[in-house]
Amino acid sequence: STKQTMSPENNSSSKVLNVDLGERSYPISIGSSLLSDSQFLQSQIKGKRIVIVTNTVVAPIYLAGLEAGLRAAGKDVVSVVLPDGEEQKNWTSLMLIFDALLEQKCDRKTTLLALGGGVIGDMTGFAASAYMRGVPFVQVPTTLLSQVDSSVGGKTGINHPLGKNMIGAFYQPQAVIADIGTLQSLPDKELSAGLAEVIKHGAIIDAAFFDWIEANMAALRAKDAAALTHAILRSCEIKADIVRQDEREGGLRAILNFGHTFGHAIESGLGYGKWLHGEAVGCGMVMAADLSCRLGYMDYVSKTRIKQLVEAAGLPTVAPDLGEERWLELMEVDKKNEGGKIKFILLKPLGQAVITSVPQDILLQTLRSCISH
Ligand code: NAD
Ligand code: MG
């Protein structure tokens, strides 16, 4: 359910979406100037003691304002500033969080608050799931990707040298606070990466939302507040609805991996970090659309619309040439692959995802037509 709320104190307005997971339900608030609105913060965060976890990029821009807002709301606040980067999403950073919690003698009522992108959110959530067997956790996502994707759904964790996101837990936050004002400082490349997941949400389940994204892509890239608010809200609704039906990824939740089978192959084939995840997913969606079209699931017009929208988002649409053999190899090690047959998330038609295996000769046609030569 979605509702509009106004805070008289700070002139901030927000939209609220309730994620319905029984006793683990929580609200997602989306709006401007939320981080300095003490009355709003008070309404969202129950505990008195807060430990903010953030990083060296986000802290100089947003930490002081949030700390002041929380203190004005009567909270005791301590902050942990970690080094930035996906390569820091590891055991060492996790221990730095636990070190701070223990040094500060934090008890089970302490709330951990993640201020940052998906890396900070995933690590902080995992720390919250494990500290004293679980303490309250609040997400304050500051990248578009974390606002539309990683802060919803309860997956938390860290990377292991042998695999991404291999150590973690399902752990739901008490609240998610998406302040779109934070996106003003986000680099364009990171904004585009988040838009890939927004496009994905329309493509897999909501053709009308896909139409809306096409009509509003320029406004989104210009960081128009109304456009961003709608894109985030609808994305969270779609993801939350899928997660509600399949919290622990038994089946349906897999459709959120549309574009990701090809995308993961690009990421690991080039070496992680060469392309942003969202860039790989953008290109992966173009490839999955090509495959859907070849199998007769989707018409040529829809396939072209997907490619044009990915391009309009500022994302790559031509796949890197890793060699055919390597491409096939990389897709077979994908984690969605069960029992040897690659499962693809395809569109049948645009706005509706299906999960299926695919004849290898057709897959090869897609690879040949989508990779750069
Ligand atoms: P990120 O957290 O690394 O953020 C990208 C960069 O932007 C970082 O350098 C960060 O410090 C910086 N940044 C953050 N907010 C900023 C702001 N407001 N202004 C300027 N710079 C800012 O990356 P991400 O794309 O947010 O998240 C990717 C991570 O999320 C990956 O580790 C991925 O595995 C994870 N993820 C998790 C889920 C999930 O369900 N839990 C889903 C998708 C992705
Ligand atoms: Mg993704």
Side-chain angles (χ1 to χ4, degrees):
S1 61
T2 308
K3 63 177 195 285
Q4 174 95 35
T5 57
M6 281 294 289
S7 162
E9 188 187 69
N10 234 346
N11 242 354
S12 57
S13 75
S14 63
K15 294 230 157 109
V16 183
L17 163 68
N18 264 312
V19 179
D20 185 9
L21 291 170
E23 60 185 16
R24 291 184 308 289
S25 298
Y26 61 90
I28 300 174
S29 303
I30 303 156
S32 303
S33 310
L34 301 178
L35 300 192
S36 53
D37 184 339
S38 57
Q39 203 175 320
F40 168 79
L41 293 171
Q42 176 62 46
S43 74
Q44 294 298 303
I45 307 171
K46 292 188 205 110
K48 178 153 178 72
R49 217 162 169 206
I50 316 290
V51 173
I52 301 174
V53 180
T54 186
N55 70 30
T56 51
V57 170
V58 176
I61 325 177
Y62 302 109
L63 182 56
L66 178 61
E67 282 180 341
L70 288 168
R71 286 188 182 124
K75 310 289 186 190
D76 293 333
V77 188
V78 170
S79 298
V80 182
V81 182
L82 300 173
D84 178 48
E86 179 72 37
E87 64 287 355
Q88 307 291 339
K89 189 176 153 181
N90 58 26
W91 197 255
T92 306
S93 300
L94 189 69
M95 288 310 272
L96 291 173
I97 302 175
F98 293 140
D99 290 351
L101 292 170
L102 288 164
E103 277 160 16
Q104 299 287 330
K105 301 193 170 33
C106 292
D107 62 12
R108 303 188 53 180
K109 288 189 193 149
T110 306
T111 299
L112 292 201
L113 185 153
L115 172 68
V119 168
I120 286 293
D122 280 12
M123 273 198 300
T124 308
F126 186 39
S129 79
Y131 187 67
M132 298 201 168
R133 301 187 183 81
V135 294
F137 163 50
V138 171
Q139 291 261 28
V140 181
T142 62
T143 62
L144 183 61
L145 185 125
S146 56
Q147 293 180 350
V148 300
D149 189 350
S150 65
S151 67
V152 188
K155 286 188 183 177
T156 71
I158 57 172
N159 300 327
H160 184 279
L162 297 180
K164 273 200 74 185
N165 296 323
M166 284 295 141
I167 316 294
F170 283 100
Y171 197 63
Q172 303 294 346
Q174 283 201 337
V176 178
I177 301 171
D179 188 330
I180 57 166
T182 61
L183 300 180
Q184 290 307 323
S185 57
L186 193 69
D188 288 345
K189 214 171 138 77
E190 298 286 350
L191 189 85
S192 292
L195 287 172
E197 306 285 3
V198 176
I199 295 169
K200 178 192 81 181
H201 289 134
I204 59 172
I205 217 155
D206 186 350
F209 184 45
F210 188 92
D211 296 347
W212 180 91
I213 302 165
E214 280 179 325
N216 291 276
M217 184 51 83
L220 289 167
R221 292 193 71 190
K223 300 180 179 174
D224 173 78
L228 285 172
T229 301
H230 182 71
I232 296 163
L233 182 69
R234 189 67 196 118
S235 283
C236 291
E237 276 173 352
I238 289 169
K239 184 165 180 188
D241 197 45
I242 292 169
V243 169
R244 185 178 52 74
Q245 295 172 59
D246 181 18
E247 193 178 351
R248 292 185 170 238
E249 194 152 350
L252 177 71
R253 191 168 176 162
I255 69 172
L256 291 166
N257 287 325
F258 175 61
H260 284 60
T261 303
F262 291 108
H264 286 150
I266 295 173
E267 287 185 277
S268 66
L270 292 176
Y272 276 92
K274 194 90 192 286
W275 284 24
L276 292 179
H277 173 71
E279 293 176 328
V281 169
C283 187
M285 290 192 292
V286 173
M287 299 176 83
D290 180 281
L291 190 50
S292 305
C293 188
R294 276 174 208 281
L295 290 163
Y297 293 178
M298 201 173 70
D299 60 25
Y300 185 81
V301 174
S302 302
K303 173 191 127 162
T304 307
R305 284 175 68 193
I306 291 175
K307 185 169 183 177
Q308 285 173 347
L309 189 55
V310 168
E311 195 165 7
L315 296 162
T317 57
V318 178
D321 186 5
L322 309 167
E324 250 166 47
E325 285 304 308
R326 183 78 181 121
W327 258 105
L328 292 175
E329 197 181 292
L330 286 163
M331 285 187 298
E332 270 153 6
V333 301
D334 191 89
K335 66 182 167 196
K336 287 176 295 306
N337 164 33
E338 282 167 12
K341 260 198 164 174
I342 314 173
K343 288 276 190 201
F344 285 91
I345 323 289
L346 299 176
L347 302 181
K348 192 179 184 178
L350 178 57
Q352 198 171 319
V354 292
I355 306 174
T356 180
S357 57
V358 168
Q360 179 140 326
D361 56 323
I362 313 251
L363 173 61
L364 281 171
Q365 288 172 20
T366 287
L367 290 179
R368 283 171 197 146
S369 102
C370 294
I371 63 182
S372 68
H373 296 289

